[in-house]
Amino acid sequence: MTAANGVAKPEPETKVKVRDLTVFYGQKKAVGPVTMDIVGQHVTALIGPSGCGKSTFLRSLNRMNELIPGCRVEGDVRLDGDPIYGQGIDPVAVRRRIGMVFQRSNPFPKSILENVAYGLRIGGVSDSREISARVERALSQAALWEEVKDRLNDSALGLSGGQQQRLCIARALAVEPEVLLMDEPASALDPIATAHIEELINELSENYTVVIVTHNMQQAARVADYTAFFYLGELVEFDRTDVLFTKPSDSRTEDYITGRFG
Amino acid sequence: MIRSNSTSREHTNREYELELRRLREQLLLMGAKVEDIINGSIRALIDRDSELAEQMIAVDRKINQLEIAIDELCMQVLARRQPVASDLRFLTTALKLVTDLERIGDLGVNICERVLELNGEPPLKPYIDLPNMSREVQEMLHEALDAFVAADVDRAQRVIARDKNVDAYYTQIFRELLTYMMEDPRNIFRATRLQSIAKYLERIGDHATNLGELTVFMVKGKDIRHAGKLSDGTT
Amino acid sequence: MTEEAASASAVPRPVAATERSAALARANARRTRRNMVADTAMAVASGAALLLVLAILAVILVDILRNGTSRLSWAFLTEAPREGMTAGGIFPAIVGMVEMVILMTLAGVPVGVATAVYLHEYASSVSPITRAIRIAVANLAGVPSIVFGLFGLGFFVQFLGAGIDKLFFGGEKIYGQPALIWAALTMAVLTLPVVIVATEEALRAVPRELREASLALGATKLQTVMHVVVPQAAPGILTGTILAVSRGAGEVAPILFTGAAYFLPLLPKHLWSQFMSPSYHVYVLSTQSPDVDATKPILYATVLVLLLLTFALNIAAVVVRARMRRRLPGGVG
């Protein structure tokens, strides 16, 4: 696989190892058990019909599921060998290494600068020069710097939808996570803004491991190196995107991607 | 992973389903016409029927029209439906199939042209091997088309295996005609025409083999073309 | 036609299309007329109710304005009362009220906000403790204010105050009597439910997505509450505070036993001082005045001051809410 600039990507290595991950809401099993190796510095897409568990699975990777009362997670997830779940493992620390961007952009009602700097400030960074530098770097990585560099102190709410989403991406990147989770990041955007986000994802995958949930199969086909198909709370198939979309192994995958579900 | 076309389940989008069905019908129609042309051209040879030969040449025009129509249909489906997996393999196979069928049609025309030339002369010899060869080739073609329709990999594989019979027939016919040519220079005109016809039939056999390989790819997703001829010599 | 149709219903016969559409049109017209009548009746009824309320308000206001504006002046607001409350102004009462309200706010708002934050952000919504707290808050809101006054007297003045006197002042009666601080604390307790409910409403209106965004960036719950949720809920909290202040400025019963006095020669300077208050002033003037005619203008003027103050505070609450709502996404009031 080649990166956005045409240079061949490094040998794929597993970044996140998921073993028998199961998520319960109370007594009801929402998704799992899932076993998957997420490859570092590549894009993995999670596809499947509504309610198949892909978002639940995504949120269990940065322990955001715990915010829902009654949610229970079993199984093992390891980031570069470090377990994410377990006694004495702080979810806050996990979320600094695994960032998340949401479906609807949710900037804070603060200035653009303060939005991006938020993660830094609460992480203890106080030196204003360091903050400025990291904010600029994050906004550049999110392809937003040129558009906002002259109005960093303006309210973030004045940006367009696509810009707000890129701001949220910059905000997540500012804390320099290793993995970036994206839950349908472009579903609320128009096609042009979507194309920008997809291009951004391509660029980001050079430095970050990206896992993206999408209900748009063509987007998964365009953007992802690897694709996982979820159905009815189960991981049905996981393979390289070009293989999954030309000769899937499971008939359920075949039926879903060719539009044969009733 | 051996899987047949998901013809057991239909596309949610009815129009899409109808488009694919129409495509399939057109392909079968084209296949049937091609079979007719081969059949008719050999018939014209054996019966020395020039009128039939002329009619067969006219059929080829219909075949060319079908090629254009099917290509157009495939383009539309590709643009509008962004097909994946089995649908994608079906469409790309269809595009290639159409090319092979069109070539077979052209070869049929070529046979007819040679027949017209031969009918101006007395027959060189009783035709025994040529009809046998043509029967083999026609059966291959028929089987290949059936295998495609039924998405039957085994049948397709059998077609591929039969190609060596066709090659054997050709070698034999060629050798026999060679002896005729060496015997008497006045035989050369007719012998070369007959050898051409045999060559055309041999090529039709190759195309039928292609159809078989395409069917295997469509069903299994494994490209088995150019077996043994792909390596650059390093292994 | 209808009779024919009715008799024909026993033997169904095909009704011509034109007859059918005519019947349909008539039914539609009937329904439209009914709807219009209902709409008009509704509008008339609500208009009448509004007019009634406005009329009552107007009567009250007119009476007060007629009798009170004559005495209202800058001097009135800045002078002390003279000659047995028949002349002068209400300056000490205003000062006393302001001091009491400030203390009340300082004591009550942090506690109320913290309680609301705990209830909404931290407490499990199904635990019995949480439910007990909520029931307590609801009941607190319904307690009559005179009961608060008695509570303030018994607990703050006689228990806490006396205890402080014994411990720190060797039994000398300083805090063990009606005092500014006790009145302020009593009022704080009274207005606590207002602050708690307003704050909880404001917290509830903060979109979940903002909390999630903060947590996803690696913030702790406390950081999220402090840096994202509470700032976003600030307008609502401020509104609650203003409403509490507005209530506190006007209540009489709670300060009756806990700190208010009719006439004081000096302005309240210490926490243990007593103080004057416009509301209490009105109560006394109207019930214990030696010379009714002389004090009547002063009475009305004081009432007018109170009313104007209440209006001003409520308008301030609305303005604050509107202005801050503009600055925030989906802001809350």
Side-chain angles (χ1 to χ4, degrees):
Chain A
M1 271 162 264
T2 51
N5 56 9
V7 176
K9 285 192 175 180
E11 262 310 300
E13 275 179 27
T14 303
K15 182 79 178 171
V16 180
K17 262 202 186 46
V18 180
R19 293 286 175 269
D20 295 320
L21 181 72
T22 314
V23 182
F24 296 89
Y25 289 133
Q27 292 297 83
K28 185 163 169 282
K29 178 173 80 112
V31 67
V34 176
T35 297
M36 191 194 282
D37 283 342
I38 298 174
V39 179
Q41 291 180 286
H42 284 75
V43 181
T44 301
L46 311 179
I47 63 171
S50 302
C52 64
K54 54 193 193 291
S55 282
T56 307
F57 172 72
L58 188 80
R59 285 161 159 258
S60 61
L61 293 178
N62 68 343
R63 296 187 67 163
M64 286 296 279
N65 270 332
E66 293 167 18
L67 305 178
I68 299 170
C71 182
R72 187 168 47 100
V73 172
E74 285 175 7
D76 189 55
V77 181
R78 281 174 197 265
L79 172 64
D80 279 340
D82 302 324
I84 289 177
Y85 288 94
Q87 289 280 40
I89 297 184
D90 184 13
V92 167
V94 169
R95 294 181 198 134
R96 296 231 176 90
R97 294 178 71 188
I98 303 183
M100 187 171 231
V101 174
F102 298 85
Q103 181 173 351
R104 242 178 275 282
S105 56
N106 47 12
F108 301 128
K110 301 175 196 265
S111 68
I112 294 173
L113 181 89
E114 282 307 319
N115 260 279
V116 182
Y118 181 80
L120 297 172
R121 288 198 202 278
I122 55 159
V125 178
S126 52
D127 177 37
S128 59
R129 260 178 317 171
E130 184 182 349
I131 289 183
S132 303
R134 285 173 78 166
V135 164
E136 181 179 339
R137 193 173 343 136
L139 286 168
S140 302
Q141 285 184 320
L144 193 59
W145 173 250
E146 288 299 316
E147 290 171 57
V148 302
K149 66 181 179 198
D150 296 324
R151 44 180 179 137
L152 290 175
N153 290 318
D154 288 357
S155 167
L157 305 172
L159 297 173
S160 75
Q163 288 173 323
Q164 281 189 13
Q165 189 63 305
R166 275 180 281 154
L167 178 68
C168 292
I169 294 175
R171 184 176 65 183
L173 292 177
V175 296
E176 286 163 17
E178 298 165 54
V179 178
L180 191 61
L181 307 177
M182 303 176 104
D183 193 348
E184 304 201 31
S187 65
L189 302 175
D190 66 76
I192 294 180
T194 300
H196 282 143
I197 297 284
E198 287 180 10
E199 177 58 30
L200 184 56
I201 293 174
N202 266 329
E203 290 169 10
L204 289 175
S205 68
E206 287 175 44
N207 296 315
Y208 301 91
T209 305
V210 180
V211 183
I212 158 174
V213 164
T214 177
H215 63 251
N216 181 341
M217 279 185 306
Q218 278 75 38
Q219 181 172 81
R222 286 192 293 266
V223 142
D225 302 307
Y226 296 88
T227 301
F229 172 59
F230 283 79
Y231 183 56
L232 295 180
E234 224 186 284
L235 172 63
V236 171
E237 193 169 339
F238 176 66
D239 210 332
R240 290 182 28 185
T241 302
D242 47 10
V243 172
L244 193 126
F245 278 93
T246 52
K247 31 190 193 246
S249 319
D250 194 295
S251 65
R252 288 170 289 179
T253 317
E254 168 92 38
D255 283 346
Y256 178 70
I257 63 178
T258 55
R260 281 187 167 86
F261 273 1
Chain B
M1 186 95 241
I2 298 177
R3 277 209 64 250
S4 61
N5 261 339
S6 300
T7 46
S8 47
R9 300 193 65 156
E10 284 196 2
H11 287 88
T12 307
N13 188 323
R14 189 120 304 161
E15 251 187 64
Y16 187 16
E17 190 68 34
L18 287 175
E19 279 169 10
L20 290 177
R21 213 171 281 178
R22 185 171 151 68
L23 187 56
R24 209 177 291 269
E25 283 166 17
Q26 297 282 78
L27 282 167
L28 291 181
L29 183 61
M30 193 177 179
K33 289 231 175 310
V34 166
E35 284 188 73
D36 284 346
I37 231 187
I38 307 302
N39 206 3
S41 63
I42 297 299
R43 257 282 55 80
L45 170 72
I46 296 172
D47 296 346
R48 297 176 61 82
D49 188 342
S50 292
E51 208 182 297
L52 185 56
E54 298 279 5
Q55 284 172 0
M56 289 301 103
I57 296 176
V59 170
D60 184 55
R61 265 197 292 279
K62 290 235 181 52
I63 292 177
N64 293 341
Q65 283 169 0
L66 276 170
E67 183 198 17
I68 293 173
I70 292 175
D71 273 347
E72 176 87 27
L73 197 52
C74 284
M75 292 289 267
Q76 284 173 10
V77 175
L78 279 171
R80 292 180 64 206
R81 306 293 175 190
Q82 285 122 38
V84 286
S86 60
D87 293 337
L88 180 64
R89 297 199 303 271
F90 170 62
L91 272 162
T92 48
T93 303
L95 284 171
K96 294 201 154 89
L97 209 88
V98 150
T99 309
D100 276 309
L101 287 178
E102 196 268 334
R103 292 282 155 73
I104 297 177
D106 285 346
L107 289 165
V109 166
N110 291 344
I111 295 178
C112 289
E113 285 165 355
R114 302 290 90 73
V115 166
L116 287 172
E117 287 169 6
L118 282 171
N119 285 351
E121 310 255 334
L124 177 62
K125 61 187 275 302
Y127 301 132
I128 302 173
D129 287 326
L130 266 180
N132 286 341
M133 186 184 182
S134 95
R135 193 176 14 240
E136 183 77 22
V137 164
Q138 284 177 66
E139 277 172 17
M140 275 177 72
L141 182 57
H142 192 81
E143 279 294 294
L145 288 169
D146 276 353
F148 170 74
V149 167
D152 187 338
V153 171
D154 294 325
R155 249 167 135 172
Q157 301 272 36
R158 284 199 291 271
V159 168
I160 296 169
R162 280 169 92 159
D163 194 40
K164 57 181 187 300
N165 299 351
V166 171
D167 292 343
Y169 269 117
Y170 175 70
T171 314
Q172 189 181 317
I173 292 173
F174 183 57
R175 258 193 229 123
E176 194 187 336
L177 289 173
L178 210 52
T179 56
Y180 272 88
M181 284 194 269
M182 290 194 297
E183 243 175 47
D184 184 351
R186 282 174 303 175
N187 292 339
I188 290 178
F189 180 80
R190 284 167 292 169
T192 47
R193 295 314 178 268
L194 287 171
Q195 186 248 333
S196 292
I197 292 179
K199 190 74 203 164
Y200 298 147
L201 284 175
E202 194 256 332
R203 289 223 217 112
I204 293 175
D206 286 342
H207 281 298
T209 309
N210 282 352
L211 296 190
E213 287 168 350
L214 286 172
T215 302
V216 170
F217 166 72
M218 183 181 75
V219 173
K220 291 173 92 163
K222 201 163 73 140
D223 205 336
I224 60 168
R225 295 178 295 167
H226 312 301
K229 287 178 262 171
L230 269 179
S231 81
D232 57 358
T234 51
T235 38
Chain C
M1 192 261 142
T2 33
E3 291 99 75
E4 277 181 34
S7 63
S9 61
V11 178
R13 74 175 168 94
V15 181
T18 42
E19 288 179 2
R20 218 182 6 244
S21 58
L24 211 59
R26 272 198 296 279
N28 277 339
R30 270 199 298 273
R31 197 169 32 232
T32 314
R33 271 200 303 277
R34 264 205 302 271
N35 286 346
M36 269 176 30
V37 166
D39 282 339
T40 322
M42 192 63 202
V44 166
S46 17
L50 179 64
L51 282 175
L52 184 63
V53 169
L54 286 177
I56 295 173
L57 193 59
V59 163
I60 298 174
L61 277 179
V62 160
D63 183 40
I64 294 172
L65 282 172
R66 210 155 31 100
N67 289 310
T69 32
S70 56
R71 266 320 206 107
L72 195 59
S73 67
W74 184 249
F76 183 68
L77 293 171
T78 51
E79 275 178 15
R82 299 190 302 267
E83 296 162 38
M85 301 300 170
T86 56
I90 54 168
F91 180 64
I94 293 178
V95 169
M97 178 185 71
V98 167
E99 288 184 8
M100 190 275 292
V101 161
I102 289 177
L103 283 174
M104 170 193 88
T105 309
L106 287 175
V109 169
V111 173
V113 170
T115 308
V117 166
Y118 169 76
L119 279 177
H120 190 255
E121 302 287 334
Y122 288 91
S124 149
S125 52
V126 293
S127 92
I129 297 179
T130 311
R131 256 181 294 162
I133 296 178
R134 283 198 199 279
I135 292 174
V137 169
N139 283 333
L140 207 61
V143 169
S145 38
I146 186 72
V147 176
F148 275 108
L150 291 171
F151 161 76
L153 178 67
F155 179 70
F156 287 124
V157 174
Q158 291 173 346
F159 177 67
L160 271 187
I164 290 175
D165 284 343
K166 218 184 315 181
L167 279 175
F168 295 106
F169 298 103
E172 193 186 333
K173 206 167 190 188
I174 301 190
Y175 280 98
Q177 54 185 345
L180 186 61
I181 180 73
W182 302 139
L185 286 177
T186 308
M187 287 305 303
V189 175
L190 182 129
T191 56
L192 210 53
V194 174
V195 175
I196 292 176
V197 167
T199 306
E200 252 203 298
E201 279 303 309
L203 292 173
R204 201 172 299 150
V206 173
R208 191 171 52 104
E209 290 91 60
L210 284 180
R211 288 194 183 83
E212 285 190 336
S214 172
L215 290 165
L217 288 164
T220 60
K221 193 160 188 183
L222 183 63
Q223 285 171 321
T224 303
V225 166
M226 298 267 303
H227 296 294
V228 173
V229 178
V230 168
Q232 171 83 342
I237 297 174
L238 202 54
T239 308
T241 308
I242 294 176
L243 288 175
V245 163
S246 153
R247 182 117 183 253
E251 283 281 348
V252 178
I255 58 175
L256 219 45
F257 316 119
T258 50
Y262 180 42
F263 176 70
L264 294 170
L266 301 166
L267 292 176
K269 268 207 259 294
H270 307 274
L271 287 178
W272 41 262
S273 316
Q274 291 187 310
F275 65 101
M276 291 171 70
S277 167
S279 47
Y280 185 56
H281 208 65
V282 165
Y283 166 64
V284 173
L285 277 182
S286 48
T287 54
Q288 294 165 24
S289 170
D291 182 354
V292 175
D293 290 316
T295 55
K296 189 164 162 189
I298 300 193
L299 174 66
Y300 271 97
T302 312
V303 170
L304 187 56
V305 166
L306 263 182
L307 271 178
L308 287 174
L309 187 66
T310 310
F311 284 163
L313 282 171
N314 281 325
I315 290 172
V318 169
V319 165
V320 161
R321 195 188 320 174
R323 194 173 296 172
M324 288 183 100
R325 193 184 288 176
R326 250 184 283 131
R327 285 207 283 123
L328 303 172
V332 60

